[in-house]
Amino acid sequence: MADLFPPLVTAQIDDKPKVDEKVDYSNLPCPVPYEELHREAYMSLKPDTFEGLRFDFTKGLNQKFGLCHSVMMGPTEVPSQSPDTVIKIPTAHYEFGANYIDPKLMLVGRVMTDGRQSARVRADLTDKLMVKANAQLANEPHMSQAMFNFDYMGSDYRAQLQFGNNALVGANYIQSVTPRLSLGGEVFWVGVPRKSGIGYAARYETDKMVASGQVASTGLMAMNYVQKVSDKVSLATDFMYNYFSREAVASVGYDYMLRQSRVRGKIDSNGVASALLEERLSMGLNFLMSAELDHKKKDYKFGFGLTVG
Amino acid sequence: MATKRTGAGKSGGRDSSILAKIANHEIANKGRRAACDAVYVSKKLLRSTGKAAWIVGTSFLILVVPLLIQAERDQMLGEIELQQASILGPPPPGALQ
Protein backbone atom coordinates (compact mmCIF):
# COMPACT_ATOMS: atom_id res chain seq x y z
CA MET A 1 0.00 0.00 0.00
CA ALA A 2 2.84 2.41 0.84
CA ASP A 3 4.45 1.84 -2.58
CA LEU A 4 1.45 3.43 -4.27
CA PHE A 5 1.76 6.75 -2.49
CA PRO A 6 5.13 8.25 -3.58
CA PRO A 7 4.29 8.35 -7.35
CA LEU A 8 1.03 10.20 -6.60
CA VAL A 9 2.83 12.86 -4.59
CA THR A 10 5.50 13.56 -7.22
CA ALA A 11 2.90 13.77 -9.98
CA GLN A 12 1.13 16.48 -7.99
CA ILE A 13 4.29 18.55 -7.70
CA ASP A 14 5.07 18.28 -11.42
CA ASP A 15 1.60 19.45 -12.44
CA LYS A 16 1.21 22.36 -10.07
CA PRO A 17 4.47 24.14 -9.34
CA LYS A 18 2.60 26.53 -7.02
CA VAL A 19 2.13 23.83 -4.37
CA ASP A 20 4.85 24.62 -1.87
CA GLU A 21 4.41 21.66 0.44
CA LYS A 22 4.11 17.99 -0.24
CA VAL A 23 0.65 16.60 0.26
CA ASP A 24 0.98 13.72 2.66
CA TYR A 25 -1.74 11.38 1.51
CA SER A 26 -1.29 9.00 4.38
CA ASN A 27 -2.01 11.64 6.98
CA LEU A 28 -5.21 13.35 5.91
CA PRO A 29 -7.47 15.07 8.43
CA CYS A 30 -10.71 13.51 9.53
CA PRO A 31 -13.67 14.86 7.57
CA VAL A 32 -16.76 16.47 9.08
CA PRO A 33 -19.64 14.10 9.80
CA TYR A 34 -21.97 13.46 6.86
CA GLU A 35 -24.93 15.28 8.34
CA GLU A 36 -22.79 18.34 9.02
CA LEU A 37 -21.56 18.73 5.45
CA HIS A 38 -23.57 21.87 4.91
CA ARG A 39 -23.01 23.15 8.42
CA GLU A 40 -21.48 26.53 7.60
CA ALA A 41 -24.02 27.29 4.90
CA TYR A 42 -27.01 26.39 7.03
CA MET A 43 -25.71 28.34 10.00
CA SER A 44 -25.84 31.48 7.89
CA LEU A 45 -28.74 30.71 5.62
CA LYS A 46 -31.22 29.00 7.88
CA PRO A 47 -31.56 31.09 11.01
CA ASP A 48 -34.44 29.85 13.11
CA THR A 49 -36.87 32.69 12.67
CA PHE A 50 -39.99 32.38 14.75
CA GLU A 51 -43.26 34.18 15.25
CA GLY A 52 -44.46 35.49 18.57
CA LEU A 53 -42.77 35.56 21.94
CA ARG A 54 -40.00 33.23 23.02
CA PHE A 55 -38.41 33.12 26.43
CA ASP A 56 -35.67 30.64 27.39
CA PHE A 57 -34.17 30.31 30.80
CA THR A 58 -31.28 27.93 31.42
CA LYS A 59 -29.99 27.32 34.90
CA GLY A 60 -26.88 25.28 35.56
CA LEU A 61 -27.10 23.43 38.83
CA ASN A 62 -23.76 21.73 38.51
CA GLN A 63 -20.87 21.81 36.13
CA LYS A 64 -22.50 19.07 34.07
CA PHE A 65 -26.20 19.21 34.87
CA GLY A 66 -28.65 21.99 34.00
CA LEU A 67 -32.35 22.63 33.77
CA CYS A 68 -34.08 24.80 31.23
CA HIS A 69 -37.51 26.37 31.05
CA SER A 70 -38.93 27.87 27.92
CA VAL A 71 -42.18 29.64 27.08
CA MET A 72 -43.37 30.12 23.51
CA MET A 73 -46.50 32.05 22.59
CA GLY A 74 -47.53 32.81 19.07
CA PRO A 75 -49.45 31.65 16.04
CA THR A 76 -48.55 28.35 14.47
CA GLU A 77 -49.38 27.54 10.89
CA VAL A 78 -51.85 24.86 9.99
CA PRO A 79 -51.58 23.37 6.50
CA SER A 80 -54.46 24.59 4.37
CA GLN A 81 -56.00 23.30 1.16
CA SER A 82 -55.05 26.10 -1.19
CA PRO A 83 -51.42 27.21 -1.32
CA ASP A 84 -52.38 30.88 -1.33
CA THR A 85 -53.97 31.20 2.07
CA VAL A 86 -52.23 30.50 5.34
CA ILE A 87 -54.21 29.52 8.41
CA LYS A 88 -52.69 30.44 11.74
CA ILE A 89 -53.91 29.33 15.12
CA PRO A 90 -52.60 31.09 18.24
CA THR A 91 -50.95 28.63 20.61
CA ALA A 92 -48.88 28.91 23.73
CA HIS A 93 -46.84 26.30 25.49
CA TYR A 94 -44.23 25.77 28.14
CA GLU A 95 -41.36 23.35 27.86
CA PHE A 96 -39.24 21.94 30.65
CA GLY A 97 -35.94 20.29 29.98
CA ALA A 98 -32.92 18.78 31.67
CA ASN A 99 -29.40 18.47 30.24
CA TYR A 100 -26.50 16.41 31.41
CA ILE A 101 -23.34 17.21 29.47
CA ASP A 102 -20.12 15.29 29.95
CA PRO A 103 -17.26 14.98 27.46
CA LYS A 104 -18.18 11.34 26.96
CA LEU A 105 -21.92 11.31 27.54
CA MET A 106 -24.65 13.79 26.73
CA LEU A 107 -28.28 13.38 27.78
CA VAL A 108 -30.99 15.87 26.89
CA GLY A 109 -34.68 15.54 27.68
CA ARG A 110 -37.63 17.83 27.05
CA VAL A 111 -41.29 17.78 28.06
CA MET A 112 -43.96 20.15 26.69
CA THR A 113 -47.38 21.11 27.97
CA ASP A 114 -49.08 19.71 24.89
CA GLY A 115 -47.84 16.26 25.82
CA ARG A 116 -44.85 15.94 23.52
CA GLN A 117 -41.61 14.55 24.92
CA SER A 118 -38.23 14.30 23.31
CA ALA A 119 -34.95 12.76 24.37
CA ARG A 120 -31.45 12.74 22.91
CA VAL A 121 -28.53 10.61 23.98
CA ARG A 122 -24.98 10.81 22.71
CA ALA A 123 -22.38 8.48 24.13
CA ASP A 124 -18.76 7.83 23.17
CA LEU A 125 -18.39 4.10 23.69
CA THR A 126 -14.73 3.99 22.74
CA ASP A 127 -12.35 6.50 21.26
CA LYS A 128 -13.67 5.90 17.77
CA LEU A 129 -17.19 4.54 18.18
CA MET A 130 -20.09 6.81 19.09
CA VAL A 131 -23.75 6.02 19.64
CA LYS A 132 -26.51 8.60 19.20
CA ALA A 133 -30.18 8.08 19.89
CA ASN A 134 -33.06 10.48 19.32
CA ALA A 135 -36.70 9.87 20.27
CA GLN A 136 -39.85 11.98 20.08
CA LEU A 137 -43.14 10.91 21.60
CA ALA A 138 -46.42 12.62 20.78
CA ASN A 139 -49.98 12.32 22.00
CA GLU A 140 -51.42 11.35 18.65
CA PRO A 141 -50.97 7.72 17.68
CA HIS A 142 -48.39 6.88 15.01
CA MET A 143 -46.66 10.22 15.39
CA SER A 144 -43.80 9.06 17.59
CA GLN A 145 -40.39 8.54 16.09
CA ALA A 146 -37.05 7.18 17.21
CA MET A 147 -33.69 6.93 15.53
CA PHE A 148 -30.41 5.28 16.52
CA ASN A 149 -27.05 6.06 14.91
CA PHE A 150 -23.76 4.27 15.28
CA ASP A 151 -20.76 6.32 14.15
CA TYR A 152 -17.28 5.01 13.56
CA MET A 153 -14.47 7.50 13.12
CA GLY A 154 -11.40 6.29 11.29
CA SER A 155 -8.18 8.20 10.63
CA ASP A 156 -9.44 9.94 7.51
CA TYR A 157 -12.96 8.61 7.10
CA ARG A 158 -16.23 8.33 8.94
CA ALA A 159 -18.90 5.68 8.63
CA GLN A 160 -22.40 5.75 10.12
CA LEU A 161 -25.22 3.24 10.42
CA GLN A 162 -28.78 4.39 11.14
CA PHE A 163 -31.85 2.55 12.38
CA GLY A 164 -35.20 4.22 12.83
CA ASN A 165 -38.81 3.31 13.42
CA ASN A 166 -41.03 2.70 10.39
CA ALA A 167 -38.26 0.27 9.43
CA LEU A 168 -35.74 2.87 8.34
CA VAL A 169 -32.23 1.62 7.73
CA GLY A 170 -29.48 3.84 6.43
CA ALA A 171 -25.72 4.00 6.09
CA ASN A 172 -23.35 6.71 5.03
CA TYR A 173 -19.64 7.06 4.51
CA ILE A 174 -17.38 10.05 3.98
CA GLN A 175 -13.68 10.06 3.15
CA SER A 176 -11.05 12.78 2.91
CA VAL A 177 -9.51 12.60 -0.53
CA THR A 178 -7.13 15.55 -0.22
CA PRO A 179 -6.60 17.82 2.79
CA ARG A 180 -9.34 20.06 1.42
CA LEU A 181 -11.72 17.81 -0.48
CA SER A 182 -13.88 15.10 1.00
CA LEU A 183 -16.35 12.89 -0.81
CA GLY A 184 -19.10 10.76 0.61
CA GLY A 185 -22.17 8.74 -0.17
CA GLU A 186 -25.25 7.38 1.56
CA VAL A 187 -27.90 4.73 1.03
CA PHE A 188 -31.16 4.29 2.88
CA TRP A 189 -34.22 2.05 2.82
CA VAL A 190 -37.60 2.99 4.31
CA GLY A 191 -40.17 0.33 5.08
CA VAL A 192 -43.49 2.14 5.29
CA PRO A 193 -43.63 3.78 1.86
CA ARG A 194 -41.34 1.18 0.42
CA LYS A 195 -38.56 3.04 -1.17
CA SER A 196 -34.82 3.23 -1.10
CA GLY A 197 -32.44 5.92 -2.09
CA ILE A 198 -28.82 6.63 -2.72
CA GLY A 199 -26.98 9.91 -2.57
CA TYR A 200 -23.54 11.43 -3.07
CA ALA A 201 -21.94 14.46 -1.49
CA ALA A 202 -18.74 16.44 -1.85
CA ARG A 203 -17.20 19.19 0.24
CA TYR A 204 -14.25 21.43 -0.57
CA GLU A 205 -12.97 23.80 2.03
CA THR A 206 -10.10 26.20 2.46
CA ASP A 207 -9.71 28.55 5.38
CA LYS A 208 -11.56 31.27 3.49
CA MET A 209 -14.40 29.39 1.85
CA VAL A 210 -16.41 26.22 1.96
CA ALA A 211 -18.22 24.76 -1.05
CA SER A 212 -20.36 21.66 -0.83
CA GLY A 213 -22.82 19.82 -2.98
CA GLN A 214 -25.20 16.92 -2.59
CA VAL A 215 -27.23 14.82 -5.01
CA ALA A 216 -29.81 12.24 -3.96
CA SER A 217 -32.02 9.82 -5.83
CA THR A 218 -35.09 11.33 -4.17
CA GLY A 219 -34.66 14.11 -6.70
CA LEU A 220 -32.83 16.58 -4.52
CA MET A 221 -29.76 18.43 -5.68
CA ALA A 222 -28.26 21.06 -3.42
CA MET A 223 -25.14 23.17 -3.78
CA ASN A 224 -23.91 25.87 -1.50
CA TYR A 225 -20.94 28.18 -1.11
CA VAL A 226 -19.80 30.17 1.92
CA GLN A 227 -17.10 32.82 1.77
CA LYS A 228 -15.55 34.19 4.91
CA VAL A 229 -14.92 37.78 3.92
CA SER A 230 -13.36 38.73 7.26
CA ASP A 231 -13.45 37.23 10.73
CA LYS A 232 -16.67 39.10 11.45
CA VAL A 233 -18.51 38.77 8.15
CA SER A 234 -19.39 35.78 6.05
CA LEU A 235 -21.57 35.59 2.97
CA ALA A 236 -23.32 32.47 1.77
CA THR A 237 -25.35 31.35 -1.18
CA ASP A 238 -27.38 28.23 -1.77
CA PHE A 239 -29.13 26.55 -4.68
CA MET A 240 -31.62 23.71 -4.36
CA TYR A 241 -33.16 21.89 -7.27
CA ASN A 242 -35.65 19.06 -7.34
CA TYR A 243 -35.30 17.33 -10.66
CA PHE A 244 -38.55 15.39 -10.41
CA SER A 245 -40.80 18.33 -9.71
CA ARG A 246 -38.55 20.81 -11.57
CA GLU A 247 -38.51 23.41 -8.82
CA ALA A 248 -35.47 25.47 -8.05
CA VAL A 249 -34.80 27.81 -5.14
CA ALA A 250 -31.76 30.02 -4.77
CA SER A 251 -30.92 32.17 -1.79
CA VAL A 252 -28.23 34.62 -0.74
CA GLY A 253 -27.47 35.54 2.84
CA TYR A 254 -25.04 37.23 5.17
CA ASP A 255 -23.88 36.62 8.73
CA TYR A 256 -22.26 39.42 10.72
CA MET A 257 -20.73 38.32 14.01
CA LEU A 258 -20.01 41.51 15.92
CA ARG A 259 -18.88 41.78 19.49
CA GLN A 260 -22.22 42.55 21.07
CA SER A 261 -24.58 41.13 18.48
CA ARG A 262 -25.07 38.76 15.61
CA VAL A 263 -27.13 39.72 12.57
CA ARG A 264 -28.15 37.20 9.93
CA GLY A 265 -30.16 38.07 6.85
CA LYS A 266 -31.26 36.17 3.80
CA ILE A 267 -33.22 36.75 0.63
CA ASP A 268 -34.75 33.99 -1.44
CA SER A 269 -35.90 33.46 -4.99
CA ASN A 270 -39.38 32.64 -3.65
CA GLY A 271 -39.65 36.26 -2.61
CA VAL A 272 -38.92 35.66 1.07
CA ALA A 273 -36.68 38.04 3.02
CA SER A 274 -35.82 37.06 6.56
CA ALA A 275 -33.53 38.36 9.28
CA LEU A 276 -32.57 37.38 12.80
CA LEU A 277 -30.84 39.70 15.26
CA GLU A 278 -29.34 38.47 18.53
CA GLU A 279 -28.07 41.14 20.82
CA ARG A 280 -26.19 40.65 24.07
CA LEU A 281 -27.72 43.02 26.58
CA SER A 282 -25.49 41.94 29.45
CA MET A 283 -23.70 38.81 30.64
CA GLY A 284 -25.87 35.82 29.89
CA LEU A 285 -28.83 37.92 28.67
CA ASN A 286 -29.57 37.82 24.96
CA PHE A 287 -32.34 39.64 23.16
CA LEU A 288 -33.62 38.10 19.91
CA MET A 289 -35.65 39.70 17.15
CA SER A 290 -36.77 37.88 14.06
CA ALA A 291 -38.60 38.99 10.93
CA GLU A 292 -39.75 37.13 7.84
CA LEU A 293 -41.51 38.72 4.88
CA ASP A 294 -43.04 36.48 2.24
CA HIS A 295 -43.91 38.86 -0.58
CA LYS A 296 -45.53 36.24 -2.78
CA LYS A 297 -48.00 34.96 -0.23
CA LYS A 298 -48.17 38.27 1.62
CA ASP A 299 -47.42 36.54 4.91
CA TYR A 300 -45.40 38.58 7.41
CA LYS A 301 -44.06 37.10 10.60
CA PHE A 302 -42.32 38.93 13.41
CA GLY A 303 -41.08 37.64 16.70
CA PHE A 304 -39.06 38.70 19.69
CA GLY A 305 -37.54 36.81 22.55
CA LEU A 306 -35.20 36.77 25.47
CA THR A 307 -32.64 34.10 26.36
CA VAL A 308 -31.26 33.98 29.86
CA GLY A 309 -28.33 31.77 30.73
CA MET B 1 -74.12 64.72 -39.63
CA ALA B 2 -76.69 66.11 -37.28
CA THR B 3 -74.98 67.25 -34.12
CA LYS B 4 -76.38 66.06 -30.81
CA ARG B 5 -73.85 67.78 -28.60
CA THR B 6 -75.77 70.22 -26.48
CA GLY B 7 -72.97 71.97 -24.63
CA ALA B 8 -70.45 72.11 -27.48
CA GLY B 9 -71.23 75.45 -29.12
CA LYS B 10 -71.08 78.82 -27.42
CA SER B 11 -73.12 80.54 -30.10
CA GLY B 12 -75.69 78.19 -31.44
CA GLY B 13 -76.34 77.18 -35.05
CA ARG B 14 -73.46 77.17 -37.53
CA ASP B 15 -70.59 77.51 -34.98
CA SER B 16 -71.72 74.54 -33.01
CA SER B 17 -71.89 72.43 -36.15
CA ILE B 18 -68.26 73.33 -37.07
CA LEU B 19 -67.08 72.54 -33.55
CA ALA B 20 -69.09 69.35 -33.58
CA LYS B 21 -67.54 68.44 -36.94
CA ILE B 22 -64.06 68.91 -35.52
CA ALA B 23 -64.92 67.02 -32.37
CA ASN B 24 -66.31 64.04 -34.30
CA HIS B 25 -63.49 63.88 -36.83
CA GLU B 26 -61.49 60.69 -37.25
CA ILE B 27 -58.26 62.24 -35.94
CA ALA B 28 -59.99 63.54 -32.83
CA ASN B 29 -61.26 60.03 -32.14
CA LYS B 30 -57.78 58.65 -32.54
CA GLY B 31 -56.43 61.28 -30.22
CA ARG B 32 -59.07 60.41 -27.64
CA ARG B 33 -58.19 56.73 -27.81
CA ALA B 34 -54.47 57.50 -27.52
CA ALA B 35 -55.13 59.66 -24.46
CA CYS B 36 -57.16 56.87 -22.84
CA ASP B 37 -54.40 54.37 -23.52
CA ALA B 38 -51.79 56.72 -22.14
CA VAL B 39 -53.78 57.18 -18.93
CA TYR B 40 -54.27 53.42 -18.60
CA VAL B 41 -50.58 52.66 -19.13
CA SER B 42 -49.43 55.36 -16.79
CA LYS B 43 -51.83 54.09 -14.08
CA LYS B 44 -50.43 50.59 -14.46
CA LEU B 45 -46.87 51.89 -14.37
CA LEU B 46 -47.58 53.86 -11.25
CA ARG B 47 -49.15 50.84 -9.57
CA SER B 48 -46.27 48.50 -10.47
CA THR B 49 -43.69 51.07 -9.44
CA GLY B 50 -45.55 51.47 -6.17
CA LYS B 51 -45.56 47.71 -5.62
CA ALA B 52 -41.88 47.42 -6.43
CA ALA B 53 -41.06 50.34 -4.16
CA TRP B 54 -43.01 48.71 -1.32
CA ILE B 55 -41.25 45.39 -1.74
CA VAL B 56 -37.82 46.96 -1.99
CA GLY B 57 -38.51 49.34 0.88
CA THR B 58 -39.75 46.75 3.36
CA SER B 59 -37.00 44.28 2.45
CA PHE B 60 -34.41 47.03 2.92
CA LEU B 61 -35.93 47.82 6.30
CA ILE B 62 -35.64 44.22 7.42
CA LEU B 63 -32.30 43.28 5.91
CA VAL B 64 -30.18 46.42 6.01
CA VAL B 65 -31.35 48.71 8.81
CA PRO B 66 -30.59 46.40 11.79
CA LEU B 67 -27.19 45.70 10.26
CA LEU B 68 -26.33 49.39 9.97
CA ILE B 69 -27.47 50.07 13.51
CA GLN B 70 -25.45 47.21 14.96
CA ALA B 71 -22.36 48.03 12.90
CA GLU B 72 -22.48 51.63 14.08
CA ARG B 73 -22.85 50.55 17.71
CA ASP B 74 -19.88 48.21 17.33
CA GLN B 75 -17.83 51.01 15.86
CA MET B 76 -18.75 53.40 18.69
CA LEU B 77 -17.85 50.72 21.22
CA GLY B 78 -14.48 50.35 19.55
CA GLU B 79 -13.92 54.11 19.71
CA ILE B 80 -14.81 54.28 23.40
CA GLU B 81 -12.42 51.44 24.16
CA LEU B 82 -9.67 53.20 22.22
CA GLN B 83 -10.31 56.45 24.08
CA GLN B 84 -10.24 54.71 27.44
CA ALA B 85 -7.04 52.91 26.54
CA SER B 86 -5.38 56.16 25.56
CA ILE B 87 -6.62 58.07 28.64
CA LEU B 88 -5.84 55.47 31.24
CA GLY B 89 -2.68 54.30 29.56
CA PRO B 90 -1.05 50.96 30.31
CA PRO B 91 -1.77 49.64 33.82
CA PRO B 92 1.11 49.99 36.39
CA PRO B 93 2.95 46.75 37.30
CA GLY B 94 1.47 46.42 40.78
CA ALA B 95 -2.14 47.13 39.84
CA LEU B 96 -5.08 44.83 40.56
CA GLN B 97 -6.22 43.20 37.37
Side-chain angles (χ1 to χ4, degrees):
Chain A
M1 211 40 170
D3 296 337
L4 285 173
F5 288 127
L8 270 172
V9 171
T10 50
Q12 176 116 353
I13 291 184
D14 288 341
D15 291 343
K16 296 179 199 157
K18 287 183 246 174
V19 171
D20 49 352
E21 54 192 46
K22 262 193 188 179
V23 176
D24 187 4
Y25 278 98
S26 55
N27 201 13
L28 291 172
C30 201
V32 287
Y34 195 87
E35 55 260 11
E36 289 181 25
L37 263 182
H38 307 297
R39 164 181 67 184
E40 277 88 1
Y42 288 173
M43 245 172 20
S44 302
L45 287 176
K46 299 215 193 302
D48 53 348
T49 56
F50 55 95
E51 186 170 13
L53 165 75
R54 196 168 112 171
F55 178 74
D56 289 325
F57 175 61
T58 308
K59 171 125 184 133
L61 298 176
N62 213 351
Q63 224 178 11
K64 303 183 177 181
F65 186 67
L67 295 176
C68 70
H69 308 262
S70 125
V71 175
M72 276 178 270
M73 304 166 87
T76 46
E77 265 183 45
V78 168
S80 78
Q81 321 304 86
S82 62
D84 287 336
T85 58
V86 278
I87 302 179
K88 296 191 186 181
I89 298 182
T91 56
H93 56 81
Y94 162 76
E95 182 185 73
F96 173 72
N99 313 328
Y100 175 81
I101 299 179
D102 199 37
K104 296 225 162 196
L105 177 65
M106 183 183 92
L107 304 168
V108 168
R110 299 266 183 276
V111 152
M112 299 224 270
T113 47
D114 48 1
R116 278 188 287 169
Q117 301 167 33
S118 75
R120 270 189 8 228
V121 175
R122 204 190 89 165
D124 290 346
L125 293 180
T126 75
D127 215 6
K128 301 200 176 265
L129 186 62
M130 187 164 70
V131 169
K132 288 198 284 210
N134 184 354
Q136 276 161 13
L137 305 173
N139 258 344
E140 295 100 35
H142 305 297
M143 291 284 278
S144 314
Q145 350 176 315
M147 184 122 85
F148 297 90
N149 298 344
F150 297 93
D151 289 13
Y152 181 77
M153 186 168 77
S155 62
D156 60 356
Y157 65 90
R158 280 187 205 249
Q160 185 185 72
L161 202 56
Q162 278 181 356
F163 299 104
N165 73 335
N166 292 339
L168 165 76
V169 177
N172 60 47
Y173 177 79
I174 182 167
Q175 161 97 43
S176 277
V177 173
T178 77
R180 296 182 174 172
L181 178 66
S182 42
L183 305 172
E186 68 169 347
V187 306
F188 68 89
W189 187 82
V190 191
V192 169
R194 275 187 193 243
K195 57 182 192 176
S196 60
I198 188 168
Y200 304 100
R203 181 182 155 109
Y204 182 81
E205 63 183 300
T206 68
D207 50 355
K208 290 262 175 186
M209 57 82 115
V210 174
S212 67
Q214 189 172 17
V215 184
S217 71
T218 52
L220 174 74
M221 188 185 93
M223 298 190 296
N224 47 52
Y225 177 78
V226 179
Q227 169 92 20
K228 208 163 113 162
V229 173
S230 76
D231 58 350
K232 288 189 177 174
V233 183
S234 71
L235 300 171
T237 164
D238 167 57
F239 178 73
M240 251 194 335
Y241 176 57
N242 189 333
Y243 52 80
F244 290 143
S245 68
R246 304 254 166 188
E247 286 176 350
V249 177
S251 66
V252 177
Y254 65 83
D255 186 355
Y256 267 68
M257 285 169 273
L258 304 169
R259 271 173 292 186
Q260 302 270 46
S261 56
R262 182 170 180 184
V263 191
R264 279 179 272 186
K266 154 187 132 165
I267 184 150
D268 217 348
S269 70
N270 280 337
V272 175
S274 72
L276 182 73
L277 164 66
E278 294 165 27
E279 194 173 321
R280 205 182 66 151
L281 295 178
S282 78
M283 189 69 211
L285 194 66
N286 284 345
F287 183 59
L288 298 165
M289 281 196 285
S290 113
E292 186 177 324
L293 308 172
D294 189 342
H295 292 290
K296 241 190 209 173
K297 294 191 206 160
K298 302 231 190 284
D299 180 26
Y300 312 116
K301 304 190 205 168
F302 301 97
F304 69 98
L306 202 59
T307 303
V308 183
Chain B
M1 321 285 171
T3 63
K4 299 280 189 225
R5 286 184 179 263
T6 45
K10 291 241 163 112
S11 45
R14 305 184 73 81
D15 289 339
S16 68
S17 81
I18 291 177
L19 270 170
K21 245 195 202 169
I22 294 176
N24 284 344
H25 204 269
E26 194 53 41
I27 296 181
N29 280 340
K30 270 196 183 159
R32 224 171 282 134
R33 266 199 301 262
C36 280
D37 285 344
V39 165
Y40 179 71
V41 166
S42 64
K43 266 192 195 161
K44 280 241 157 166
L45 214 69
L46 204 66
R47 201 162 291 156
S48 65
T49 307
K51 258 187 8 193
W54 170 258
I55 289 177
V56 168
T58 51
S59 301
F60 176 83
L61 203 61
I62 293 293
L63 294 174
V64 178
V65 170
L67 181 65
L68 293 178
I69 293 174
Q70 292 300 324
E72 192 174 329
R73 279 181 61 173
D74 192 63
Q75 193 197 16
M76 276 200 329
L77 184 71
E79 270 179 24
I80 287 179
E81 276 181 1
L82 206 65
Q83 265 186 3
Q84 281 191 348
S86 67
I87 285 175
L88 298 175
L96 285 166
Q97 279 297 348

